[in-house]
Amino acid sequence: MTVRHLLRDDDLSPAEQAAVLDLAATMKRDRFGHRPLAGPSGPRSVALLFDKPSLRTRVSFEVGVAELGGHPLVIDSRSTHFGRGETLGDAARVLSRYVAAIVLRTFGDDRLAEVAAGATVPVMNGLTDGFHPCQLLADLLTVREWCGGTASRTLAYLGDTTNNMAHSYLLAGVTAGMAVRVAGPDGFAPDPAVVTRAGEIAAGTGGSVRLLRDPVEAVTGADVVATDAWTSMGQEGQEGQERDRGAALSAYQVNEKLLAYAAPQVAVLHCLPAHRGEEITDQVLDGPHSAVFDQAENRLPAQKALLTWLLSTGGAR
Ligand code: CP
């Protein structure tokens, strides 16, 4: 069986993404009814490696693996040899002798690629500088629940259009057949290679991609409005730069005035943690259109489904 990984959102074809989301919905309805990691002779383990802080990804994977009958091993990379010379490829080869799958949250996508190249078990991206595909599975499950489906729905992502969430919305959104609008100021363009790839996928799914400057144009009629922190992990602590980013991005704040342009039943997404009063207001985050806490909840069934699918024959090409 070929080992499959989820390193970026376009590692899943449209049919595969739909299959994972269908399984996630099933697992959400029957939370404790699926135990593929229990195994006939004992639990299978999953390594959860973190180079960066996490609440949702760490806890949802840890709880999810346990609910699937497995044993989660949370490993802070600082407590391993990663930082003192052992290559990621060697570490992945060793881990593959112990565990059924590996999750890695790290900085550059090259680090994740090195782990995947060395691993002989599935590797899942728990967030890199480039992509956050596990988050997008939860987001799309939430869109299904709030909007009745994903195909032909319009999603507007506002704010820092250079970050991993922008890239993942572009790729995963069009894979799900959505019309994806990405709006940010001058100097905040997403990776052109990702935009091109999203356009290629959209041509086969009926989705579409638009890059916009005007936040009102982006939000007008949108079924889903999404945003993320203006300063991503690894960019904090640069006080002057954070102030400049805030000034450049202030017009893209998701607030009630902007949301009034969206579809009447719009669902608002934010992957959290939120900086209330910056990229999103309290009124929107706590208001009737906020799907944000359903979205956070959906990390659990989405990742349980992904892990189950990757480990099953259905995950083999
Ligand atoms: N959304 C998300 O990935 O949250 P954490 O950083 O808390 O894992």
Side-chain angles (χ1 to χ4, degrees), residues 53-58 105 132 135 233 271-273 299:
S54 170
L55 173 69
R56 280 144 288 269
T57 306
R58 175 187 158 152
R105 165 167 292 199
H132 199 359
Q135 178 69 55
M233 272 186 279
C271 67
L272 300 174
R299 296 294 300 274

Side-chain angles (χ1 to χ4, degrees), residues 66-295:
E67 288 181 0
L68 292 173
H71 175 65
L73 286 159
V74 180
I75 303 166
D76 175 350
S77 313
R78 283 169 302 190
S79 64
T80 69
H81 298 286
F82 284 15
R84 50 181 292 273
E86 180 164 35
T87 69
L88 290 164
D90 284 350
R93 286 175 69 178
V94 172
L95 284 172
S96 299
R97 305 287 179 106
Y98 304 141
V99 302
I102 298 169
V103 177
L104 175 62
R105 165 167 292 199
T106 191
F107 295 91
D109 289 81
D110 54 333
R111 288 175 64 78
L112 183 70
E114 203 181 329
V115 168
T120 53
V121 297
V123 174
M124 287 160 281
N125 180 345
L127 179 145
T128 54
D129 292 344
F131 304 95
H132 199 359
C134 289
Q135 178 69 55
L136 255 291
L137 291 172
D139 289 26
L140 292 172
L141 182 60
T142 310
V143 173
R144 281 183 170 199
E145 292 170 350
W146 277 66
C147 303
T150 54
S152 357
R153 276 43 168 209
T154 298
L155 181 148
Y157 172 81
L158 304 184
D160 181 2
T161 54
T162 67
N163 72 11
N164 46 19
M165 285 302 293
H167 294 151
S168 281
Y169 277 123
L170 282 164
L171 293 180
V174 298
T175 300
M178 301 186 81
V180 181
R181 301 173 185 165
V182 166
D186 276 339
F188 282 76
D191 181 344
V194 172
V195 177
T196 300
R197 179 70 189 125
E200 290 166 0
I201 297 168
T205 63
S208 63
V209 174
R210 286 179 72 196
L211 304 186
L212 299 161
R213 287 275 168 270
D214 182 357
V216 171
E217 188 181 355
V219 164
T220 297
D223 303 295
V224 182
V225 172
T227 189
D228 187 17
W230 289 341
T231 302
S232 295
M233 272 186 279
Q235 295 175 326
E236 302 97 337
Q238 304 155 338
E239 197 179 311
Q241 287 178 31
E242 279 192 42
R243 204 172 35 243
D244 292 348
R245 292 172 70 82
L249 291 161
S250 61
Y252 299 86
Q253 182 190 64
V254 177
N255 54 40
E256 287 179 309
K257 190 173 164 206
L258 188 60
L259 210 58
Y261 292 95
Q265 303 303 321
V266 63
V268 175
L269 299 180
H270 189 309
C271 67
L272 300 174
H275 296 73
R276 289 169 175 263
E278 292 187 17
E279 73 275 5
I280 192 167
T281 61
D282 287 336
Q283 290 82 359
V284 172
L285 194 56
D286 299 325
H289 294 287
S290 175
V292 169
F293 296 97
D294 289 351
Q295 179 189 2

